Amino acid sequence: MKKLVLIRHGESLYNLENRFTGWKDVDLTDDGYNEARKAGAILKKHGFIFDVAHTSVLKRAIRTLWITLHEMDLVWIPVHKSWRLNERHYGGLQGLNKDEVTEKFGEDQVHEWRRSADIRPPEISEEVHLNELSNPKYASVGEGNIPFSESLLDTERRVLVYWHEEIVPSIQHNQRVIISAHGNTLRALVKYLDNIPDDGVVSLNIPNSIPLVYELDDYLKPIRHYYLDEEGELPHGKIPRHMDLDDPENWDWMG
C-alpha cells in the first residue's frame, strides 16, 4: 500500500478579504501560518515522513509547504514547483470582492462560475495576459499554456499532465509524497482519483490545511482516504467546521 498526502494552503490574505484569488500571488495571513504549523505538527505526531514534495509556483502554497516541512524537520527533502499545480485561473474575477461580484451578476451566475465543472468565468484582458506572460515565474511556460480564464475541467487537464509525468513516477518508486496546492487543483485531482463525474463535483470541497491522506494500491487506485487531525483519522463523513456548504461565508476558501 502507498500513501499520498494532499494539503491545501492555509488562509490567504484574499481569503480574509473575501476576494477571488486564482493566480494572484498573495501570501498567508497569520492564521494561515498557524494552520500550516498545525498541519505539520499533526503529520509529525502520526509518524508521517516524506521523500519528496510538490507544490505550485504561488507563494501561499509554497509557504504552507515550507512551514509544514519545518514543523516535521523535513526542510531538506526535494521540493518541485510547477505552474500546473496553480489554483484555477479565475480570469477577470481575480482580485475582485465576491460580494460585489455577486451583487453585480447575481448569485446564480456566480455560483455557476465557481462550482460547475465546465463553465469559465469572464476572461482577463489582453494587457493583463501580457503581464502574466512577462512574469519570470512563467518564463518557461509556453504562451498557449497561460490561460485567460479556466473552468475546473481546464484545471483538471493541466493538473493531470503533472500528475502522470511527475508525481506518479515518484509514488511508483515508493517515494512518500506530499502535495501542497489549492482548493481547485486538489479538487481536480480528487475528482480524478475517486472517479467523480462532472456533475458530482459541485459539492466537493477541500478544507484549508487539514491533511488529506490517500491510501493507494499498487496500481495507484484509491483504497480509501481520510482527513487527519490531532486525534487521528476523522470519522468518515465528518465535515470540518469550516466546510459547511450551507453557509455562504464558508465558500471563500474555494478560491
Side-chain angles (χ1 to χ4, degrees):
M1 182 185 67
K2 306 174 189 297
K3 287 186 178 181
L4 168 70
V5 173
L6 311 178
I7 185 167
R8 183 187 175 236
H9 64 78
E11 182 188 60
S12 75
L13 294 170
Y14 271 18
N15 290 153
L16 183 63
E17 295 173 4
N18 196 33
R19 296 181 184 276
F20 287 97
T21 313
W23 284 30
K24 292 284 189 180
D25 201 8
V26 299
D27 210 337
L28 301 177
T29 63
D30 289 343
D31 283 345
Y33 275 73
N34 290 331
E35 288 168 352
R37 292 187 187 99
K38 182 178 179 180
I42 288 171
L43 289 166
K44 183 177 182 178
K45 177 180 179 180
H46 294 292
F48 281 81
I49 299 175
F50 302 108
D51 302 299
V52 64
H54 297 268
T55 187
S56 74
V57 298
L58 298 173
K59 68 180 69 173
R60 58 194 186 274
I62 297 170
R63 192 92 68 192
T64 296
L65 180 62
W66 284 352
I67 296 168
T68 299
L69 294 179
H70 181 269
E71 290 294 317
M72 302 179 71
D73 197 22
L74 289 175
V75 294
W76 53 271
I77 70 171
V79 174
H80 302 285
K81 305 180 186 74
S82 174
W83 69 275
R84 292 189 183 277
L85 293 179
N86 276 16
E87 176 59 291
R88 171 189 174 188
H89 198 299
Y90 270 106
L93 300 182
Q94 295 184 156
L96 300 182
N97 180 275
K98 294 172 185 176
D99 291 337
E100 293 174 0
V101 171
T102 300
E103 184 176 347
K104 180 177 180 179
F105 294 100
E107 187 173 323
D108 289 343
Q109 176 63 80
V110 173
H111 187 71
E112 184 177 59
W113 282 333
R114 300 185 67 192
R115 309 299 300 167
S116 63
D118 58 349
I119 303 298
R120 295 172 181 155
E123 294 186 349
I124 55 174
S125 68
E126 185 68 36
E127 180 182 2
V128 173
H129 188 250
L130 288 173
N131 285 337
E132 290 189 345
L133 290 175
S134 66
N135 191 315
K137 67 166 65 77
Y138 302 121
S140 63
V141 180
E143 180 176 347
N145 286 324
I146 304 294
F148 284 81
S149 180
E150 286 183 311
S151 67
L152 180 62
L153 294 183
D154 295 328
T155 307
E156 180 181 11
R157 279 187 283 272
R158 62 170 163 85
V159 169
L160 291 184
V161 170
Y162 192 78
W163 167 256
H164 290 295
E165 292 183 356
E166 303 294 337
I167 299 174
V168 165
S170 294
I171 301 174
Q172 288 176 332
H173 284 86
N174 295 317
Q175 290 189 308
R176 295 160 292 188
V177 176
I178 182 172
I179 303 173
S180 174
H182 306 266
N184 281 299
T185 39
L186 295 179
R187 265 178 94 206
L189 184 55
V190 167
K191 177 179 180 294
Y192 168 76
L193 289 173
D194 290 339
N195 197 27
I196 299 172
D198 293 351
D199 60 2
V201 77
V202 173
S203 60
L204 173 62
N205 294 273
I206 310 294
N208 293 83
S209 292
I210 299 179
L212 173 56
V213 181
Y214 267 82
E215 296 179 356
L216 308 171
D217 65 19
D218 290 340
Y219 300 98
L220 304 192
K221 298 298 183 184
I223 299 169
R224 69 188 191 110
H225 64 265
Y226 54 90
Y227 286 102
L228 195 65
D229 69 4
E230 296 95 331
E231 303 306 317
E233 179 180 339
L234 285 170
H236 180 70
K238 181 178 179 181
I239 299 176
R241 177 180 54 81
H242 53 305
M243 287 181 65
D244 180 5
L245 297 180
D246 292 328
D247 183 355
E249 291 184 0
N250 293 332
W251 294 353
D252 61 0
W253 58 265
M254 285 307 303

